[in-house]
Amino acid sequence: MSKRLLSGHEVEQVGEEELKDIDYDIFRHGMVRILPEGWLYPSTATTFLDKIYNMEFRPDDILLVTFPKCGTTWMQEIIWAMIHNLKLDDPMTKLDWLFRCPQLCMDMLRDKIPADDHPHLPDQAFKEMYPNRKSEDGLFLLLAEDLPSPRLMKTHYPLTLLPKSILEKVKVVYVARNPKDAAVSGFNFSKMNGRLQSDADKDKFYNSFMKDNFMYSPYWPHVKEAWEKRHHPNLLFVFYEDMKADIMKQLGRVNEFLGTALCQETLEATAQYTSFKAMKSRGNHPLATSLKDSADIFFRKGATREWKNHLSPKIQEEMDEWIKNNVANTDLSLSWALGQ
């Protein structure tokens, strides 16, 4: 494939040998690397990335950007509650999260084999909602288009693949999580959705994560480019670990950033509503309701430093070296990056 995205990035088709190596031969049209960073996506991502690049954003839009398994769902619920002033009688509150906060990178996954077995992709529901539209238009892009303002949307695509003027148009909240815990959460998520069969695959998975053979990889450019823009007035950079350590402080930062002007009592109620226990009990997420026992797996622990219970000494050593090499020459905290 020879193609250039509207963002200026070059698209390179992943060859058969590399597909075998990364163990992602599950998409009808294969996978691509988007250069120069080497982002790994299904081939259909190129169509939707160009659509997003041309997307009409509204001044009051809020976009949540994360690498996978870095606190996306938690921050999504926090923002949703805050921009709606914790009015839980809003009919949309009972909808699963992907309907009220469309994930802009999800449409590319419709190329999965088979295409209709993914709980994130309720095809029949969208056929009923959009009888005259083609699924190729992007189900979640259509949903985002129809959302009333203020819209909350999320994506695992990095800032560099979004419109160059995105920070001039909308407010962006970026959440970063220690790579060891993100990798452990990614492993457990992959087990839950059937990508991995047992704990015997652990070391192979973590090596793939470090070698950028995990879908949505690479991890470090994703975090670094957001970190470099952290002083922009329309970007709020939040560490997952800071949320766990002092949620009220981080809610205060989000409240100020979004201009929601919530009182202390409402912020405390928001903290309770979006607590791990409360979110797990509601379970109105497509994965947390459609797979057997998946609420217990999707809302597994949400802990920090959980990697200590999962990474072998060998993988810990390799990952520490990988982290140190990537944090060198940045002002990111090495202690945070190592998960200390």
Side-chain angles (χ1 to χ4, degrees):
M1 173 184 294
S2 177
K3 180 176 180 178
R4 190 171 292 274
L5 298 179
L6 294 178
S7 62
H9 288 75
E10 185 180 347
V11 179
E12 181 180 88
Q13 190 75 34
V14 174
E16 291 185 10
E17 289 304 312
E18 186 180 0
L19 273 178
K20 291 178 183 177
D21 184 51
I22 64 178
D23 194 24
Y24 260 113
D25 193 14
I26 59 173
F27 296 104
R28 297 177 189 276
H29 297 91
M31 302 191 76
V32 294
R33 293 275 188 187
I34 297 180
L35 307 176
E37 294 87 355
W39 311 109
L40 180 64
Y41 302 129
S43 294
T44 48
T46 59
T47 298
F48 297 114
L49 281 166
D50 279 349
K51 286 179 179 289
I52 293 169
Y53 199 82
N54 280 330
M55 186 173 170
E56 291 187 16
F57 287 93
R58 306 171 193 165
D60 56 356
D61 283 343
I62 302 167
L63 184 61
L64 173 59
V65 181
T66 67
F67 193 80
K69 312 314 297 175
C70 289
T72 319
T73 303
W74 188 11
M75 182 58 81
Q76 171 191 310
E77 284 297 85
I78 287 171
I79 296 173
W80 169 264
M82 292 178 75
I83 63 177
H84 289 85
N85 199 23
L86 208 62
K87 293 179 180 177
L88 305 183
D89 57 347
D90 188 314
M92 291 189 72
T93 302
K94 296 182 180 180
L95 293 178
D96 70 45
W97 301 333
L98 289 175
F99 278 85
R100 50 188 168 86
C101 178
Q103 187 158 321
L104 302 183
C105 55
M106 194 64 69
D107 285 309
M108 67 180 179
L109 298 183
R110 288 190 56 78
D111 197 46
K112 187 174 178 286
I113 305 170
D116 59 356
D117 71 342
H118 200 298
H120 274 325
L121 307 170
D123 197 31
Q124 185 56 41
F126 279 97
K127 285 180 180 178
E128 294 172 2
M129 293 173 68
Y130 303 103
N132 299 317
R133 302 294 292 270
K134 297 178 180 179
S135 61
E136 290 81 5
D137 294 334
L139 302 182
F140 292 96
L141 291 181
L142 289 172
L143 185 58
E145 185 180 306
D146 285 353
L147 275 182
S149 294
R151 295 187 299 183
L152 171 59
M153 298 167 285
K154 62 184 178 184
T155 186
H156 295 317
Y157 290 139
L159 291 176
T160 190
L161 293 180
L162 301 176
K164 285 183 171 60
S165 59
I166 190 70
L167 290 179
E168 310 305 323
K169 295 180 177 180
V170 305
K171 287 186 178 293
V172 175
V173 177
Y174 187 95
V175 183
R177 188 180 190 182
N178 165 268
K180 292 180 179 177
D181 281 332
V184 167
S185 184
F187 172 78
N188 284 288
F189 182 78
S190 295
K191 278 182 62 181
M192 179 191 72
N193 65 23
R195 283 281 300 122
L196 299 173
Q197 301 304 315
S198 71
D199 284 354
D201 298 314
K202 270 187 179 181
D203 284 5
K204 180 180 178 182
F205 178 89
Y206 297 133
N207 274 302
S208 291
F209 190 93
M210 288 185 280
K211 292 177 180 177
D212 301 335
N213 288 337
F214 176 70
M215 194 164 69
Y216 297 105
S217 289
Y219 168 87
W220 284 111
H222 203 292
V223 173
K224 286 179 180 179
E225 64 181 28
W227 179 248
E228 290 170 358
K229 297 180 184 298
R230 68 191 183 280
H231 299 304
H232 193 288
N234 274 351
L235 187 137
L236 178 67
F237 192 105
V238 181
F239 288 106
Y240 179 89
E241 291 74 17
D242 289 345
M243 294 170 67
K244 295 295 293 185
D246 189 345
I247 187 59
M248 291 306 301
K249 180 178 180 179
Q250 299 309 311
L251 288 182
R253 292 182 68 214
V254 177
N255 190 32
E256 181 178 359
F257 177 70
L258 297 180
T260 40
L262 301 180
C263 66
Q264 183 67 17
E265 182 180 359
T266 303
L267 289 177
E268 291 173 356
T270 300
Q272 178 59 38
Y273 179 73
T274 59
S275 69
F276 183 85
K277 182 178 180 180
M279 289 175 61
K280 183 172 182 176
S281 68
R282 289 197 299 275
N284 55 337
H285 186 283
L287 276 180
T289 55
S290 61
L291 300 178
K292 182 181 179 181
D293 301 324
S294 62
D296 287 332
I297 302 173
F298 186 83
F299 296 100
R300 204 175 54 85
K301 289 187 178 181
T304 57
R305 299 180 178 86
E306 180 69 8
W307 62 266
K308 294 183 177 181
N309 300 320
H310 292 267
L311 303 183
S312 67
K314 180 176 182 295
I315 289 295
Q316 285 187 37
E317 183 178 347
E318 292 175 357
M319 191 165 277
D320 283 352
E321 189 65 23
W322 171 71
I323 288 169
K324 290 174 183 177
N325 289 337
N326 280 281
V327 171
N329 301 318
T330 77
D331 54 0
L332 279 164
S333 165
L334 181 60
S335 178
W336 164 78
L338 291 172
Q340 295 175 340

